Amino acid sequence: MRRYLRNPLMVMGAVGVFLFILVAVFADVLQPYPEHSRGVVTVRDRLKPPSSQHLFGTTELGRDVFSLVVAGSRISLLVGVVTAAGVVLIGVTLGLTAGVMGGVVDELIMRITDLFLSFPSLLLAMAITAALGPSLTNAMIAVAISWWPSYCRLTRSEVLSVRERAFVESARAIGARTPRVVFRHVLPNVISVIMVNVTMDV
């Protein structure tokens, strides 16, 4: 913790994330015009500039932009966290399996990954959303499905690097089973790189 607190950029980043989470959690309380996020139109206040009454101004329908931003933060956080969790669950699991197992399993997983990577991710996500139907849940599923291959390749490359190191060979030499080697020695040394990417992507 002392090392963390000595880094001002990390502290600033943590404060920013914490404030964003607070805004999302208490969105209903922080909105000065909560009815605007529920679709109420106030034509007489349309296109007003920022002021003490409307911090970010108003839209062409007279809705308070600040209230809409606060209300939208909850959806943004939900989509970011849930989608990233799904991506990590699929991508890291497959990448870990490919890197540890090797051989035919590795080849099969990598060819499936290459197949997904051959399509533009945005186009693939739009196609999946169109097939599933328009909804927030389906949009999150579509993004997760189109996004996991990069995490799979990243995890596999890290696993291939870590599994050749001396401490992994030592664990195998003393008779440690594969699940213990994976979860006790390989994954902890791979997770930091994955967490950096997840944080940026969220």
Side-chain angles (χ1 to χ4, degrees):
M1 181 59 72
R2 282 197 299 271
R3 189 196 314 171
Y4 180 83
L5 292 174
R6 280 200 297 267
N7 189 327
L9 288 177
M10 291 184 77
V11 173
M12 287 169 62
V15 169
V17 171
F18 182 68
L19 288 175
F20 187 84
I21 292 171
L22 279 181
V23 169
V25 171
F26 297 104
D28 294 335
V29 179
L30 294 175
Q31 293 177 68
Y33 301 93
E35 67 277 5
H36 288 184
S37 62
R38 293 194 292 269
V40 173
V41 175
T42 314
V43 179
R44 67 177 182 276
D45 291 331
R46 65 190 301 271
L47 298 177
K48 286 194 172 182
S51 64
S52 57
Q53 285 78 32
H54 303 284
L55 294 179
F56 293 172
T58 61
T59 67
E60 65 276 4
L61 297 175
R63 294 172 182 161
D64 182 61
V65 176
F66 179 74
S67 296
L68 300 180
V69 169
V70 171
S73 66
R74 181 175 289 176
I75 298 172
S76 297
L77 187 64
L78 174 68
V79 171
V81 171
V82 171
T83 304
V87 167
V88 168
L89 184 64
I90 300 169
V92 172
T93 301
L94 290 176
L96 202 59
T97 304
V100 171
M101 299 294 289
V104 177
V105 175
D106 181 21
E107 190 70 20
L108 178 62
I109 292 174
M110 285 300 101
R111 295 298 72 78
I112 294 171
T113 303
D114 290 340
L115 179 64
F116 274 88
L117 285 172
S118 65
F119 294 96
S121 57
L122 183 59
L123 190 63
L124 181 60
M126 290 170 65
I128 295 170
T129 304
L132 295 176
S135 75
L136 188 62
T137 302
N138 290 344
M140 289 190 287
I141 293 170
V143 172
I145 290 174
S146 63
W147 198 5
W148 67 264
S150 60
Y151 280 84
C152 182
R153 292 184 74 89
L154 173 66
T155 305
R156 175 181 176 270
S157 65
E158 291 295 320
V159 169
L160 290 178
S161 172
V162 170
R163 77 175 187 179
E164 303 300 328
R165 294 182 187 173
F167 61 87
V168 175
E169 295 295 331
S170 300
R172 293 188 185 280
I174 62 173
R177 296 180 180 274
T178 300
R180 180 178 176 82
V181 171
V182 170
F183 293 106
R184 194 69 188 270
H185 301 286
V186 175
L187 188 57
N189 287 283
V190 170
I191 202 71
S192 59
V193 177
I194 296 167
M195 288 306 298
V196 170
N197 279 268
V198 170
T199 305
M200 294 292 289
D201 288 341
V202 169

